[in-house]
Each structure stands twice: as C-alpha cells, then as structure tokens.
Amino acid sequence: MERKPKIAILRWEQGITPPAFMQLEQMPGNSTNLDSYPFPVKLVEVKGAGVETVITNPSKKLLADMIELSKKLVEEEGIEAITASCGFNAIFQEEMAAALDVPVFLSSLLQVPFVQTIVGKDKAVGIVTAKKDSLTKEHLRQCGIGEDVKTMVIGLEHNPEWNKLFDGSNAEADMAVVEKEIVGTVKDEVAKHPEIGAIVLECTDLPPFAQTLRKELGMPVFDFNSMISHMAMAISEMTNY
C-alpha cells in the first residue's frame, strides 16, 4: 500500500515561471522533483505564487492563501509539516508558523544558526542566494539569524546564464554553464573570505549542484534537502532503524 505523504511542499504556480526555472525543476535534487526524496512528499501548487509575489514584492494576499491552503492540507489530508519550494518564502516564516499547528519550515536559511554553532563563532556561514539584493535582513531575522550570526551573502545574479531565470527573456539556459557559473562564483568568494566555514544554499534550485560544491570547496554544504531530511527524521517519515 502506497504511503501517504506527511510533508507538503508549497510550489509556485505552473505556467508563469520562465523556461530556465522549468529546466531546473526537472533536475535530480531540485525541490520540486519528487525523485529528490527517499520518502513521499506532496507537491501543492499555489495560485499566484511566483517571482513577483514571493521575491520582488512579497504578497500579503499570497501569505493568506498559503495559510488557508496549508490548514486544509493538515485538516483534510493529515499533513504533518509544511515547507515551500523557494527560500525567499522566509519572509513569511513567522506568520505561517504561528498560524498552523504543525511544523513550518519555509527556507533552508533556518539552518544558518545551527551551522554557525557547529563551525564556531570565529567562522562565517556563506549564504548562496539567487539574488543578493532581494535577500533582506528581514528574511534573515525571520529565520532566527541575528546580529550574533556571522554571514557572508553570495549572490548569483551577475552570472549571465543563471540570470536567464530572471531577465524576462524566456530563454532556456545551458545547465552545464549554469553549474560552472555557480561553482566559480562560490569558489571565488570563499577564496576572498577564508573565514567562511560552511555554505548554506538559500535557493531551492541549487541542490542539484550541491555535491559538486562540496567536492570543490572541501567544506559542508547545507541545502533544502538537508533541511527537509532533518524534518522527515523528526516526524518518523524517514528512519534507518
């Protein structure tokens, strides 16, 4: 008998995202690829969710819709935890968590305080994000990242192939080039800032490249998959014993 998912992933509305996003979504490791998980998850499309309403101008209406939808998932389908397919949903973390009676973990940024603790106070946590200017102090605060947490934000927006996700061209991207851009950018920043002791990938489209980053950097790299696996263990959705 097929297992019912305990974790729901709120995803962007399909059909309004650029082709490059759709390419990423199909890659192994991506948050919206069901094959990324060794346990069942429920992908739930949220109408109106996209770059504009989540990243550029976070929408209060979208937040209300996400809360309403999540309550139905909990009450009607027995969902035990809620997450989302974009790390910029961090801006909604506090209100979503307060509104629901199940764990809510909307962004891999929630791992940053943990990572700071394990690398030590003299090290910094490198945060890799899709768009540096869009990642605000409020996003960090809502994930428990205070002034005592040393972070170094690494943005990818200056890479031309990666930027096809946001430039409005509706062009497809060469994923081999995208990987080179990501790895090159992060390696350059780590070389400039040797105080970085570990990496957290904010963007849920970056996990397909996490293993390459781990090999190239020789340091821990945390992402959406490390976060959701942690929750899966916590609610007995994944166990080795």
Side-chain angles (χ1 to χ4, degrees):
M1 186 170 146
E2 189 175 345
R3 287 165 56 196
K4 288 182 62 177
K6 295 181 181 180
I7 299 174
I9 302 174
L10 306 183
R11 63 167 298 160
W12 286 0
E13 180 177 349
Q14 294 178 279
I16 66 172
T17 52
F21 269 114
M22 301 304 295
Q23 288 176 271
L24 282 166
E25 286 187 355
Q26 297 167 13
M27 295 181 70
N30 191 280
S31 64
T32 55
N33 185 334
L34 293 176
D35 292 333
S36 300
Y37 313 107
F39 46 84
V41 300
K42 184 177 181 65
L43 285 176
V44 182
E45 183 178 358
V46 182
K47 295 295 183 183
V51 173
E52 175 64 24
T53 55
V54 176
I55 300 177
T56 309
N57 294 296
S59 166
K60 285 290 187 181
K61 180 185 182 305
L62 178 66
L63 171 60
D65 291 345
M66 288 169 64
I67 291 172
E68 182 181 0
L69 180 56
S70 297
K71 286 182 176 180
K72 287 182 179 178
L73 289 167
V74 173
E75 294 167 4
E76 298 176 7
E77 301 191 34
I79 290 296
E80 297 182 19
I82 301 286
T83 186
S85 68
C86 175
F88 280 99
N89 281 292
I91 202 72
F92 303 134
Q93 175 62 37
E94 287 186 347
E95 288 183 78
M96 283 277 291
L100 297 167
D101 292 327
V102 297
V104 175
F105 56 114
L106 298 182
S107 175
S108 61
L109 293 172
L110 289 162
Q111 299 169 105
V112 171
F114 165 73
V115 176
Q116 173 74 89
T117 302
I118 65 175
V119 299
K121 63 181 181 179
D122 294 329
K123 292 286 187 179
V125 181
I127 297 174
V128 184
T129 182
K131 298 182 74 174
K132 184 175 180 177
D133 289 346
S134 297
L135 188 64
T136 67
K137 288 185 177 180
E138 183 60 16
H139 287 92
L140 302 183
R141 187 196 69 76
Q142 293 228 12
C143 290
I145 305 168
E147 297 297 327
D148 58 330
V149 179
K150 295 174 65 176
T151 60
M152 183 69 61
V153 179
I154 302 168
L156 300 174
E157 64 276 4
H158 300 299
N159 293 308
E161 202 68 18
W162 170 264
N163 204 41
K164 288 180 179 179
L165 277 71
F166 305 99
D167 64 8
S169 66
N170 284 326
E172 292 192 351
D174 185 326
M175 288 302 139
V177 176
V178 168
E179 181 173 57
K180 288 180 181 178
E181 289 178 342
I182 293 167
V183 173
T185 297
V186 179
K187 285 183 72 175
D188 286 349
E189 289 301 311
V190 169
K192 292 176 189 174
H193 303 281
E195 69 271 25
I196 295 175
I199 296 290
V200 174
L201 305 179
E202 169 274 318
C203 180
T204 58
D205 291 311
L206 293 178
F209 313 108
Q211 191 59 14
T212 301
L213 284 168
R214 292 179 185 115
K215 291 177 180 177
E216 292 289 330
L217 298 172
M219 66 175 59
V221 175
F222 299 82
D223 61 10
F224 180 83
N225 291 334
S226 58
M227 177 179 68
I228 196 172
S229 295
H230 191 179
M231 181 55 68
M233 289 286 290
I235 62 173
S236 298
E237 183 66 309
M238 183 174 69
T239 179
N240 294 323
Y241 50 85

